[in-house]
Amino acid sequence: MPTVSQVPVCCLCQEKPCLIKCGDRRHKSTVQYASRPELPKLAYRRVKGKSPGVVFLPGYGSNMNGQKAEALEEFCRSLGHSYLRFDYTGHGASEGVFAEGTIGTWKKDVLFVLDELAEGPQIGQKEKKIMVGSSIGGWLMLLAAIARPEKTAALVGISTAADHIVTSFNTLPLEARKEFEEKGEWTVPTKHSEEGIYKFSMNFLREAENHCVLQSPIPITCPVRLIHGLKDEDVPWHISMQVAERVLSPDVDVILRRHGQHRMSEKDDIKLMVYTIDDLIDKLTTMV
């Protein structure tokens, strides 16, 4: 298998492979739409290639065109591996209403992608994928791996937000929780939305409780890598430690970045993500 050192140097950033969005845009994948019976269409971009392929799961309110998602496409293309990124229902270019989405809605999206869109090198062939989940995508990645172990080769969590929305609400003072319950929604300050807040309905929170994974051992046995920034102000890094403690896999690494923030989209953050995935590809290929 070609290693990172054999990949041509990007003419703009002088990295190999290109680790930021300065790669040759002429080869950028095109947006496609997957129809589902009685469900909103999902927008996705796919690069065909060899196994193991990579599937990227974006964060809450994010989409498939972020820096990490684009850098991963550049990387997978450079090594000839398949790659798929997509928008959840109500996100980005996909159909649906964002405010009506739930953890369960987006879990179904991920399972549909794994079942119907993530083909192997041969048409119609299914293969195990490396799932890379950012923030809430890290939570959905765990849920998908539990539901589809036969389609999961390895997991890479970036600022993994497993159970985080539910845990955060449940740790509020009782009076505050009652106040939000009476209003019917919980508002949380954030730097990551135009309004400066996220709004979570009580129905969203109650539904999310059905998908919590941290109260018991997590039945995942594939290799797991969890990258988290110590300066993450949105999702505490100790959540990645909790995930690492609870997954049953014997092959789990947690990588803490001293100056890393929630989005982990600085050049060195992206470089670490790419090299972590490259090491996993090398390991998986050697195991075969």
Side-chain angles (χ1 to χ4, degrees), residues 168-186:
S168 296
F169 184 77
N170 288 340
T171 52
L172 291 173
L174 183 59
E175 285 184 7
R177 270 182 283 157
K178 281 184 176 176
E179 187 181 326
F180 287 123
E181 283 167 2
E182 285 170 10
K183 282 170 57 179
E185 69 177 15
W186 176 36

Side-chain angles (χ1 to χ4, degrees), residues 95-106:
E95 292 181 348
V97 180
F98 175 66
E100 294 175 3
T102 63
I103 299 298
T105 302
W106 302 325

Side-chain angles (χ1 to χ4, degrees), residues 31-147:
V31 178
Q32 301 180 68
Y33 292 89
S35 295
R36 302 179 292 171
E38 298 178 15
L39 288 172
K41 288 182 182 177
L42 290 184
Y44 67 97
R45 295 177 182 268
R46 179 167 58 192
V47 174
K48 295 190 175 180
K50 58 189 176 185
S51 303
V54 176
V55 177
F56 183 76
L57 283 58
Y60 177 81
S62 187
N63 60 58
M64 61 176 164
N65 297 321
Q67 282 176 284
K68 295 187 291 292
E70 298 230 334
L72 270 183
E73 175 166 320
E74 196 74 35
F75 168 72
C76 289
R77 193 187 289 280
S78 69
L79 289 187
H81 285 268
S82 69
Y83 178 63
L84 195 145
R85 48 182 163 135
F86 68 102
D87 288 334
Y88 309 121
T89 298
H91 288 65
S94 287
E95 292 181 348
V97 180
F98 175 66
E100 294 175 3
T102 63
I103 299 298
T105 302
W106 302 325
K107 175 187 171 182
K108 284 180 186 173
D109 293 345
V110 180
L111 296 181
F112 175 82
V113 164
L114 289 176
D115 292 343
E116 304 297 332
L117 302 180
E119 293 182 342
Q122 309 298 320
I123 293 174
Q125 175 195 8
K126 303 300 178 187
E127 61 158 354
K128 289 190 173 186
K129 299 289 184 180
I130 298 174
M131 278 189 277
V132 182
S134 176
S135 192
I136 212 169
W139 184 1
L140 294 167
M141 161 191 89
L142 295 170
L143 294 170
I146 293 166

Side-chain angles (χ1 to χ4, degrees), residues 75 130 155-158 224-227 253 255 269-282:
F75 168 72
I130 298 174
L155 301 177
V156 179
I158 315 291
V224 178
R225 302 291 179 265
L226 300 162
I227 303 172
D253 290 335
I255 304 162
D269 298 331
I270 290 175
K271 190 183 294 187
L272 173 62
M273 175 188 70
V274 165
Y275 287 156
T276 300
I277 294 164
D278 185 61
D279 284 343
L280 276 173
I281 287 174
D282 200 21

